[in-house]
């Protein structure tokens, strides 16, 4: 049973009608093929109409759709199942909210690293809802260094509501872990591509987000804070999340316009979750395109460009 | 840009002191309740003479404390915040900026200056908490970035004095990317083999902590300063119980291995000079 978001209700209704038509045809000999065709067409049109006009807040909701593919799904699909997960930060433990490992994508070894959310209630808890502790960021860095040592490109998938704000996270240096990753990622000699595949919330996202190319999927968001927290801090109420989502200019289009990301990756009609296979295909084409181009550059040149790009970010007045 | 000599009186006035003593005569310590004359308090660098409580002070005061003879050259003073997103919450962001500039007489939440401390050339970037909670937006990022360029040009070490509630939300992702930008620049400072001392003062939380503040060759802190990634209120809500005593203090961070040493403000200049002499070849 697929789940629908509130703004998808018209799509759900059409799907219900379609199911009913199919049921009727199964139970009797009434020919419904024409109705089915019409309904399928309507579903496409309605989905396109809705998804082309999503408000920023609806985009946030879409990015959190529980059936969206997460890092492990991408890593497995992109590597024809050769993905081998590697665990642990070699220091404290294995964080379940960030996963990583090598995989072979069309004959090329790639290090995939990303936030991992759970696929059901139990797993969501196990994955800490995609909120990593310091050891998650340190595992990510360990794996990045490993990839660098053997000259393998790195792909990170970002999808987190934020770094975990817990007591032990503070004790073990959440801030230092993220800071260190930023610093080290700027010096990686291999190509680094970062893709926001869901939620890009704050330092928790940026902690694996320093890349030669930073890309966003169509139905995702990226900002310094979630709209809910922004609402609670600036409006002192939880009721302004929609206004905050608009004010933060957090959509991929907004981010590209502000030159804070390098590109947007199309999703299948109705979002990545409606057709994961298609999503993986699109992702593979995009990643291969960028990796090929990035590999043409000399490592130092890549680093210089990466640094220069981030250093040009930020708008100010000078009088 | 000219060299400024600042008069000692009137500079070392702590920011909180004015409110607490309407007549400007007495300082009441919020910790031990001791009362001393403001003059004595200021002469002790706004550190409580009885219990050692460190009052929050701003860039003007730190520059006066650290630069020899109070001589320094402010760099990139004329950078001010833009409002790239036309951000409006309960107030327009540009009005917040104007109000903050008016109230604090500062251009943004950081000032950067070049001079000497204990005879060593140094660039100091010091945050001002009074300016929108010391929040980091594009101006803070750019001024740190340029301060690092300046260090590389002048072959001088860098001291950043952090005092910030985190990223400036009204600049949204622009402010987030300042974390990346400052970290990127620090890799260049490292490459030039120039020391970076990070001084964390009360409070240092959020985005700055998760970028430059934690990336010092030496991370030092003032006693009892609040230092953390998530604010204590958020951590408390997350774990659903009271926080242990001393959680997220400078002492707590030292015990957990994230701070090299804690330095009293009254010994800061002396210790800083010593540290810089270690790095000198
Ligand atoms: Zn006292």
């Amino acid at each position: 049973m697929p789940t629908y978001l509130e703004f998808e209700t018209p799509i759900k209704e059409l799907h219900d009608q379609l199911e009913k038509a199919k049921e009727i045809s199964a139970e009797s000999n009434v020919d419904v093929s024409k109705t089915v065709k019409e309904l399928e067409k309507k579903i496409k049109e309605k989905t396109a109409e809705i998804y082309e006009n999503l408000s920023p807040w609806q985009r946030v909701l879409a990015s959190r759709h529980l059936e969206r593919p997460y890092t492990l799904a991408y890593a497995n699909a992109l590597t024809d199942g050769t993905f081998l997960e590697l665990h642990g930060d070699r220091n404290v433990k294995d964080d379940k909210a960030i996963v990583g490992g090598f995989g072979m994508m069309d004959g090329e070894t790639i290090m995939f690293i990303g936030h991992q959310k759970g696929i059901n209630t139990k797993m969501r808890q196990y994955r800490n809802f995609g909120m990593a502790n310091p050891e998650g960021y340190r595992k990510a860095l360990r794996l990045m260094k490993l990839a660098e040592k053997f000259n393998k490109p790195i792909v990170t998938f970002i999808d987190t509501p934020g770094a975990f704000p817990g007591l032990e996270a503070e004790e073990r240096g959440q801030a230092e872990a993220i800071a260190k990753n930023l610093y080290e990622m700027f010096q990686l000699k291999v190509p680094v591509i970062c893709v926001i595949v869901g939620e890009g919330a704050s330092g928790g996202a940026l902690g694996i987000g320093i890349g030669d190319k930073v890309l966003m999927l169509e139905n995702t968001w990226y900002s310094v804070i979630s709209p809910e927290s922004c609402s609670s801090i600036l409006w002192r109420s939880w009721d302004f999340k929609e206004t905050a989502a608009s004010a933060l200019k957090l959509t991929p289009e907004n981010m590209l316009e502000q030159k804070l990301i390098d590109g947007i990756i199309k999703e299948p009609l109705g979002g990545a979750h409606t057709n994961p296979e298609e999503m993986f295909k699109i992702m593979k084409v995009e990643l291969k395109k960028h990796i090929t181009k990035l590999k043409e550059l000399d490592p130092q040149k890549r680093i210089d460009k990466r640094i220069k790009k981030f250093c040009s970010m930020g708008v100010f007045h000078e009088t | 840009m000219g060299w400024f000599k600042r008069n000692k009186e009137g500079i070392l006035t702590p920011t909180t002191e004015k409110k607490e003593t309407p007549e400007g005569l007495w300082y009441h310590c919020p910790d031990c309740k001791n009362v001393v004359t403001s003059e004595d308090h200021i002469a002790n660098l706004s550190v409580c003479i009885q219990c050692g409580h460190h009052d929050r002070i701003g860039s003007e005061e730190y520059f006066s404390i650290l630069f020899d003879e109070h001589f320094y050259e402010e760099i990139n003073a004329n950078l001010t915040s833009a409002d790239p997103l036309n951000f409006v919450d309960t107030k327009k962001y540009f009005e917040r900026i104007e109000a903050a500039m008016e109230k604090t007489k500062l251009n943004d939440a950081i000032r950067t200056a070049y001079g000497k401390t204990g005879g060593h050339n140094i660039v100091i970037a010091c945050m001002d908490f009074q300016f929108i909670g010391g929040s980091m937006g594009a101006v803070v990022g750019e001024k740190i970035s340029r301060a690092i360029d300046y260090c590389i040009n002048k072959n001088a070490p860098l001291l950043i004095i952090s005092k910030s509630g985190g990223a400036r939300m009204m600049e949204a992702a622009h402010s987030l990317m300042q974390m990346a930008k400052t970290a990127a620049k620090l890799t260049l400072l490292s490459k030039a083999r120039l020391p970076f001392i990070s001084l964390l003062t009360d409070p240092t939380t959020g985005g700055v902590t998760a970028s430059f503040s934690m990336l010092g060759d030496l991370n030092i802190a003032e006693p009892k300063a609040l230092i953390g990634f998530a604010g204590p209120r958020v951590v408390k809500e997350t774990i659903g119980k009271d926080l242990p005593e001393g959680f997220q203090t400078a002492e707590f961070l030292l015990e957990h291995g994230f701070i090299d040493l804690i330095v009293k403000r009254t010994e800061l200049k002396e210790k800083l000079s010593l540290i810089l002499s270690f790095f000198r070849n």
Side-chain angles (χ1 to χ4, degrees), chain A residues 170 183 249 258 317-319, chain B residues 78 80 146 174 190 230 248:
Chain A
E170 293 290 321
Y183 184 85
K249 306 271 194 313
Q258 297 165 65
H317 294 307
E318 187 163 18
T319 50
Chain B
N78 53 352
T80 55
R146 291 192 191 184
H174 288 276
S190 275
Q248 292 184 319

Side-chain angles (χ1 to χ4, degrees), chain A residues 165 167 170-175 179 183 186 224 233 235 247-249 255 258 310-311 313-319, chain B residues 78-81 85 87 89 138 142 146 167 169 172 174 178 180-181 190 210-211 228-230 235 248 252 256 258:
Chain A
L167 187 123
E170 293 290 321
E171 283 179 344
R172 295 200 287 267
Q174 188 71 284
Y183 184 85
F186 276 111
V224 73
I233 295 171
W235 280 267
L248 287 167
K249 306 271 194 313
M255 289 293 286
Q258 297 165 65
F310 279 91
C311 285
M313 292 179 186
V315 181
F316 50 85
H317 294 307
E318 187 163 18
T319 50
Chain B
N78 53 352
L79 264 58
T80 55
S81 288
L85 307 178
F87 196 94
D89 50 88
E142 181 69 14
R146 291 192 191 184
M169 260 175 284
H174 288 276
Q178 304 312 305
K181 177 171 175 169
S190 275
S211 59
F229 175 65
V235 180
Q248 292 184 319
F252 174 92
H256 285 90
F258 295 100

Side-chain angles (χ1 to χ4, degrees), chain A residues 148-220:
Chain A
E148 181 185 44
K149 180 173 172 184
F150 296 98
N151 197 26
K152 305 301 175 198
I154 298 165
V155 172
T156 71
F157 295 119
I158 294 165
D159 187 5
T160 181
F164 190 58
L167 187 123
E168 290 174 332
E170 293 290 321
E171 283 179 344
R172 295 200 287 267
Q174 188 71 284
E176 192 272 348
I178 292 172
K180 183 78 171 288
N181 278 20
L182 306 183
Y183 184 85
E184 294 292 341
M185 285 185 85
F186 276 111
Q187 303 176 84
L188 290 169
K189 295 185 185 74
V190 292
V192 186
I193 298 172
C194 308
V195 190
I196 289 96
V197 296
E199 302 187 81
S202 198
L206 193 65
I208 55 168
I210 307 298
D212 300 305
K213 293 287 168 201
V214 178
L215 311 165
M216 288 175 78
L217 294 193
E218 227 178 337
N219 296 303
T220 65

Side-chain angles (χ1 to χ4, degrees), chain B residues 27-35 41 47-54:
Chain B
Y27 171 75
H28 302 252
C29 175
D31 255 20
C32 73
K33 315 289 175 215
N34 190 41
V35 180
H41 182 60
V47 175
C48 174
I49 291 159
Q50 181 160 293
C51 76
H53 169 78
H54 281 55

